[in-house]
């Protein structure tokens, strides 16, 4: 054995290695779960599967490690080289699997298994190497301590730093480089103990060079795969802390995608936004103070600002990258008529649920323009508890309206939103519009403190609302500029066909998250 000073230095090198490999292990877990969620939605399902499969194969790797009886250090370095190469290219092959094959799940499973087994081999081997420098009690304590510290670092750095600043593809290559750096670090530090130090160093340098090329060309690689996904010309891609933003163009049709899901097409977004905004605006007696939850593209705001009596609008959108794009990008400014620069607007980049809970402001109109409830983070914004909080912020006679996904493609989810809102408000009215880019789409609105029927589609009440809107429409000086809404189209918005008509559902609560279940089932049915 070396002298005490050298022995302590070697022990520190190994403990630093434990910290780095533990960090990389959690990075891979988060990365693979994020990629599957980005492509296929359903974050709970895909993160649960990712974690379960990953942990299982880590167990397999740990079991296999007992059969490695000698050359522990050399095998550890070999594993780091293999892990760096396989893990570093994991995002590349998953993107390729999704865009160019029909075998995404198989490819994802293979990478989960391979990375899981290699990570499962790491800790037992390095723990046995460390045990040569200390007793078993200190070995277990040190290894587990550094392992858990690495897990904490990874769970903080991945969402707050790596994903927003590097994106998925570049992050994948970077994690691979971290694994290779562990291999090089240990090869150099223990070169006297390795029989083929030069060979391992050469292989490590070659793999590092390959990963560095991937890292520096990751934007081009990512753009290539995304071009296959979206087909139209991609004008902009941006990875924020919360989502992947892609903006495309085909002729004069501009489209916004968030995490792969279409948010609007400039060819027909007017059908959506005119129906979403002007129906409740025509019914509202007061337009002074309005709250928009979501709507960071500025389209709904564009319609709101057509009313001269609007004094102030609060917009709550979680992602500053989205609101910044809608505020400063030339094409977005043209599409939203530069509404995001209005002095009447205050932007709040925070969670809508938290804003509603802590706000003391009162609003005559609340418009909820959020993405579909494809995970529990969004599902909570369609819950009975959320609507109850929103109700406290709504002035007497005020109106709240939400986009409510498609009553045709996600029928149960749509009526679940309606029934959930009905649990918080006495007067609830659903309506629907056909948007070519989306198909049949739905909205649900509620009126604060009105003594009307508890039924969702009370015909007499709906007829009264339609008459009121038709009269108000005549007085709007800008109504002649509407592309879709007219006195003739308003009655059709409240007609549901047999295949979109009401059906019984549970209400959505924070505890049950029934809405997310309905929505995911509808996606499976249509897929």
């Amino acid at each position: 054995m070396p002298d005490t000073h050298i022995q302590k230095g070697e022990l520190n090198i190994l403990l630093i290695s434990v910290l780095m490999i533990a960090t990389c292990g959690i990075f891979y877990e988060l990365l693979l779960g994020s990629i599957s969620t980005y492509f296929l939605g359903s974050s709970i399902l895909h993160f649960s599967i990712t974690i379960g499969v990953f942990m299982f194969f880590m167990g397999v790797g740990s079991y296999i490690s007992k059969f490695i009886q000698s050359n522990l250090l050399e095998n550890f370095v070999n594993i780091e080289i293999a892990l760096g190469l396989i893990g570093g290219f994991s995002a590349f092959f998953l993107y390729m699997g999704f865009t160019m094959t029909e075998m995404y799940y198989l490819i994802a499973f293979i990478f989960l298994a391979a990375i899981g087994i290699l990570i499962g081999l790491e800790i037992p081997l390095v723990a046995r190497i460390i045990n040569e420098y200390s007793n078993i009690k200190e070995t277990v304590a040190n290894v587990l301590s550094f392992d858990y510290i690495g897990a904490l670092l990874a769970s903080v750095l991945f969402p707050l730093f790596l994903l927003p600043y590097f994106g998925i593809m570049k992050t994948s290559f970077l994690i691979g480089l971290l694994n290779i750096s562990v291999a090089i670090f240990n090869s150099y530090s223990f070169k006297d103990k390795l029989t083929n130090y030069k060979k391992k160093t050469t292989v490590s340098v070659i793999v590092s060079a390959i990963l560095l090329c991937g890292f520096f060309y990751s934007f081009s690689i990512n753009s290539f795969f995304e071009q296959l996904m979206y087909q139209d010309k991609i004008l902009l891609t941006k990875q924020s802390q919360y989502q992947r933003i892609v903006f495309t163009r085909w002729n004069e049709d501009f489209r916004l995608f968030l995490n792969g899901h279409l948010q609007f097409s400039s060819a027909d977004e007017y059908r959506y936004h005119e129906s979403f905004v002007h129906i409740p605006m025509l019914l509202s007696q007061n337009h002074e103070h309005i709250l928009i939850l979501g709507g960071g593209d500025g389209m709904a705001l564009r319609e709101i600002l057509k009313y001269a009596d609007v004094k102030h609008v609060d917009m709550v959108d979680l992602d500053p990258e989205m609101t910044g794009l809608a505020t400063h990008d030339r094409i977005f400014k043209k599409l939203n008529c530069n509404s995001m620069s209005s002095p009447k607007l205050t932007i709040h980049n925070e969670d809508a649920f938290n804003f509603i809970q802590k706000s003391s402001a009162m609003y005559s109109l609340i418009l909820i323009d959020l993405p579909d409830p494809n995970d529990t983070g969004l599902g909570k914004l369609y819950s009975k508890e959320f609507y109850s909080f929103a109700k406290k912020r709504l002035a007497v006679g005020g109106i709240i309206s939400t986009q409510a996904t498609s009553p045709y493609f996600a029928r149960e989810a749509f009526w679940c939103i309606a029934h959930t809102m009905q649990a918080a408000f006495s007067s609830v009215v659903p309506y629907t519009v056909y948007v070519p880019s989306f198909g049949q789409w739905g909205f649900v609105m509620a009126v604060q403190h009105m003594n009307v029927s508890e039924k969702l589609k009370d015909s007499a009440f709906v007829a009264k609302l339609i008459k009121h809107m038709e009269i108000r429409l005549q007085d709007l000086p800008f109504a002649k500029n509407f592309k879709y809404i007219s006195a003739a189209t308003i009655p059709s918005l409240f007609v549901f066909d047999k295949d979109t008509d009401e059906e019984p559902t549970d209400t959505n609560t924070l505890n049950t998250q029934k809405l997310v279940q309905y929505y995911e089932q509808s996606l499976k049915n249509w897929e």
Side-chain angles (χ1 to χ4, degrees):
M1 290 292 291
D3 61 44
T4 306
H5 176 71
I6 300 299
Q7 183 176 334
K8 184 176 180 181
E10 292 177 340
L11 177 61
N12 290 336
I13 290 168
L14 292 169
L15 290 176
I16 292 171
S17 298
V18 171
L19 178 66
M20 293 183 68
I21 63 178
T23 304
C24 289
I26 300 299
F27 277 154
Y28 285 126
E29 205 167 345
L30 295 171
L31 179 72
L32 296 174
S34 297
I35 293 172
S36 293
T37 300
Y38 171 49
F39 287 145
L40 302 166
S42 187
S43 61
I44 292 179
L45 173 66
H46 289 110
F47 269 101
S48 295
I49 292 174
T50 298
I51 293 170
V53 173
F54 205 78
M55 295 295 287
F56 170 78
F57 281 104
M58 283 178 64
V60 172
S62 296
Y63 180 79
I64 293 173
S65 69
K66 74 177 185 178
F67 297 104
I68 301 175
Q69 301 295 336
S70 60
N71 300 321
L72 300 183
L73 190 57
E74 292 198 19
N75 281 294
F76 173 66
V77 172
N78 291 337
I79 288 169
E80 292 309 301
I81 295 172
L83 189 53
L85 183 61
I86 296 171
F89 274 91
S90 59
F92 176 89
F93 282 102
L94 289 177
Y95 265 75
M96 186 174 69
F98 182 79
T99 57
M100 303 177 71
T101 76
E102 298 294 328
M103 300 184 294
Y104 175 80
Y105 278 117
L106 175 61
I107 294 171
F109 179 83
I110 291 171
F111 273 89
L112 281 171
I115 295 173
I117 288 173
L118 290 172
I119 291 175
L121 284 166
E122 287 178 317
I123 295 297
L125 288 185
V126 78
R128 287 161 62 186
I129 297 169
I130 290 174
N131 196 46
E132 296 177 5
Y133 297 85
S134 59
N135 59 53
I136 186 65
K137 181 173 68 174
E138 290 181 346
T139 298
V140 172
N142 288 332
V143 169
L144 291 181
S145 295
F146 279 84
D147 187 33
Y148 295 147
I149 292 171
L152 174 63
L153 287 174
S155 63
V156 173
L157 290 174
F158 184 82
L160 298 181
F161 180 72
L162 291 184
L163 200 57
Y165 290 102
F166 292 97
I168 289 174
M169 189 69 69
K170 185 170 284 189
T171 294
S172 178
F173 287 117
L174 179 61
I175 301 170
L177 284 166
L178 289 177
N179 278 123
I180 295 298
S181 69
V182 173
I184 294 174
F185 183 45
N186 281 270
S187 294
Y188 179 78
S189 300
F190 298 99
K191 58 185 177 181
D192 295 335
K193 300 178 183 293
L194 298 174
T195 57
N196 50 2
Y197 159 69
K198 290 184 178 180
K199 182 179 178 180
K200 292 187 186 304
T201 303
T202 302
V203 172
S204 297
V205 170
I206 292 172
V207 174
S208 297
I210 295 171
L211 291 172
L212 278 171
C213 288
F215 180 83
F216 287 114
Y217 286 97
S218 60
F219 180 80
S220 298
I221 296 170
N222 206 77
S223 297
F224 171 77
F225 285 125
E226 287 189 330
Q227 193 64 66
L228 293 177
M229 289 172 58
Y230 296 104
Q231 297 182 345
D232 297 344
K233 180 181 179 181
I234 296 176
L235 300 179
L236 176 145
T237 61
K238 185 182 288 288
Q239 177 66 58
S240 76
Q241 183 179 345
Y242 306 102
Q243 58 198 352
R244 181 73 175 172
I245 302 170
V246 178
F247 193 46
T248 70
R249 177 179 184 174
W250 183 72
N251 292 335
E252 295 305 312
D253 182 14
F254 298 92
R255 296 189 172 208
L256 173 68
F257 296 85
L258 299 180
N259 286 340
H261 300 288
L262 179 64
Q263 302 303 301
F264 73 75
S265 165
S266 64
D268 56 22
E269 56 83 14
Y270 63 88
R271 278 179 164 251
Y272 175 98
H273 290 104
E274 285 186 8
S275 303
F276 177 52
V277 173
H278 295 296
I279 293 302
M281 289 290 278
L282 288 169
L283 292 173
S284 177
Q285 299 297 320
N286 189 312
H287 301 146
E288 291 188 358
H289 299 284
I290 296 175
L291 173 64
I292 305 174
L293 302 177
D297 53 37
M299 304 296 192
L301 178 63
R302 175 195 67 201
E303 301 300 316
I304 289 171
L305 294 177
K306 292 177 179 179
Y307 293 80
D309 56 341
V310 172
K311 291 185 176 179
H312 184 76
V313 180
D314 281 314
M315 176 184 286
V316 182
D317 192 289
L318 185 63
D319 195 348
E321 294 287 351
M322 184 66 250
T323 54
L325 182 65
T327 303
H328 303 294
D329 182 82
R330 177 181 59 84
I331 298 175
F332 267 90
K333 289 169 68 175
K334 182 178 180 180
L335 293 174
N336 63 34
C337 297
N338 203 26
S339 62
M340 299 291 283
S341 298
S342 171
K344 297 180 179 181
L345 175 67
T346 301
I347 298 174
H348 307 267
N349 292 123
E350 59 180 289
D351 180 76
F353 200 101
N354 294 337
F355 181 88
I356 283 291
Q357 277 188 301
K358 71 180 185 181
S359 175
S360 58
M362 299 298 291
Y363 300 96
S364 54
L365 180 64
I366 299 176
L367 296 176
I368 305 174
D369 191 15
L370 296 165
D372 283 355
N374 56 16
D375 60 46
T376 55
L378 288 166
K380 71 178 183 179
L381 302 175
Y382 295 85
S383 66
K384 178 183 176 182
E385 292 85 351
F386 178 72
Y387 293 139
S388 297
F389 285 127
K391 184 177 181 179
K392 296 177 182 178
R393 306 273 59 84
L394 199 59
V396 175
I399 294 177
I400 181 171
S401 184
T402 182
Q403 85 84 11
T405 194
S406 172
Y408 180 74
F409 294 105
R411 186 175 177 182
E412 286 186 321
F414 174 82
W415 289 107
C416 176
I417 294 172
H419 295 147
T420 302
M421 190 174 282
Q422 191 180 28
F425 293 89
S426 59
S427 172
V428 175
V429 181
Y431 63 103
T432 181
V433 63
Y434 179 72
V435 183
S437 296
F438 292 100
Q440 200 67 35
W441 211 254
F443 308 94
V444 181
M445 63 179 174
V447 184
Q448 175 78 302
H449 301 319
M450 288 188 67
N451 295 319
V452 296
S453 171
E454 292 278 339
K455 296 179 181 179
L456 276 173
K457 297 183 296 177
D458 182 276
S459 57
F461 178 56
V462 171
K464 182 179 178 181
L465 293 181
I466 292 172
K467 185 66 176 178
H468 180 78
M469 284 186 283
E470 290 173 342
I471 294 172
R472 290 287 300 277
L473 192 65
Q474 296 174 2
D475 298 329
L476 287 182
F478 51 83
K480 61 181 181 295
N481 296 323
F482 287 162
K483 294 182 179 180
Y484 179 70
I485 291 292
S486 68
T489 58
I490 287 176
S492 67
L493 299 178
F494 298 89
V495 176
F496 288 85
D497 299 321
K498 289 183 68 175
D499 56 357
T500 61
D501 210 353
E502 182 181 2
E503 60 178 32
T505 68
D506 293 323
T507 58
N508 184 47
T509 67
L510 293 177
N511 183 48
T512 63
Q513 289 283 357
K514 284 289 185 179
L515 177 60
V516 177
Q517 298 173 37
Y518 287 135
Y519 186 81
E520 289 182 348
Q521 186 58 51
S522 69
L523 291 184
K524 291 179 183 177
N525 292 340
W526 283 102
E527 287 172 354

